[in-house]
Amino acid sequence: MTALDDDKPTPRGELTLQIIPLPSDTNANGDVFAGWLVKQMDLAAATMAGRISQGRNATVAMDRMEFLSPLRVGSQVGCYCELVDIGRSSMKISVEVWTLDRTAKNPRKVTEGLFVYVAIDEHGRIREVPEQVL
């Protein structure tokens, strides 16, 4: 991104999950549950972790979660994932959530978070992440 792009923010990472929240995903006030959104972020990051680890993985931590703007029912929600770091058995994945409201022309960032996964084997024990080809 250059200084000329500062007025046009865009998502970092690859689009990993896209979904639309329904009225059943809201609380009594009509707002989308934060827990619903965290679930979608975890699904998106786990999908990327599964591709990287080439198998099972488990969420071990979530960090730096902040909600920047509300999420409206019927909006198109996109979870963008980016591998931040990889260890012997762990993966840190940044997730940004962007939404496009039904009547909007430009998407807006809703939240972001850092998810940490560990690769596990068929018995639920920690295993090494296969070497990555860059």
Side-chain angles (χ1 to χ4, degrees):
M1 187 185 301
T2 67
L4 299 174
D5 297 326
D6 286 346
D7 62 336
K8 299 175 189 166
T10 56
R12 285 188 341 241
E14 68 179 74
L15 179 61
T16 309
L17 179 71
Q18 208 167 20
I19 193 164
I20 296 174
L22 302 173
S24 61
D25 302 317
T26 63
N27 60 25
N29 297 318
D31 301 318
V32 174
F33 282 114
W36 179 87
L37 188 53
V38 172
K39 175 183 174 182
Q40 307 314 314
M41 294 171 75
D42 192 23
L43 283 170
T47 299
M48 177 173 271
R51 285 197 316 257
I52 294 165
S53 69
Q54 298 174 16
R56 291 181 63 190
N57 59 79
T59 310
V60 294
M62 294 185 305
D63 191 19
R64 295 192 310 253
M65 192 97 191
E66 182 178 339
F67 294 94
L68 307 171
S69 62
L71 181 56
R72 296 179 180 91
V73 168
S75 298
Q76 183 177 335
V77 177
C79 295
Y80 294 81
C81 296
E82 180 177 47
L83 178 64
V84 175
D85 191 24
I86 192 163
R88 188 181 69 76
S89 62
S90 65
M91 300 150 281
K92 289 184 182 177
I93 298 172
S94 171
V95 182
E96 286 189 2
V97 177
W98 288 70
T99 185
L100 182 60
D101 297 330
R102 289 181 286 182
T103 57
K105 292 183 180 180
N106 297 312
R108 62 187 167 80
K109 189 174 181 179
V110 175
T111 190
E112 64 182 307
L114 182 66
F115 289 71
V116 181
Y117 293 84
V118 67
I120 57 174
D121 65 17
E122 63 276 0
H123 304 290
R125 293 186 301 253
I126 294 174
R127 64 175 174 85
E128 288 189 30
V129 174
E131 189 171 324
Q132 302 300 299
V133 178
L134 301 177

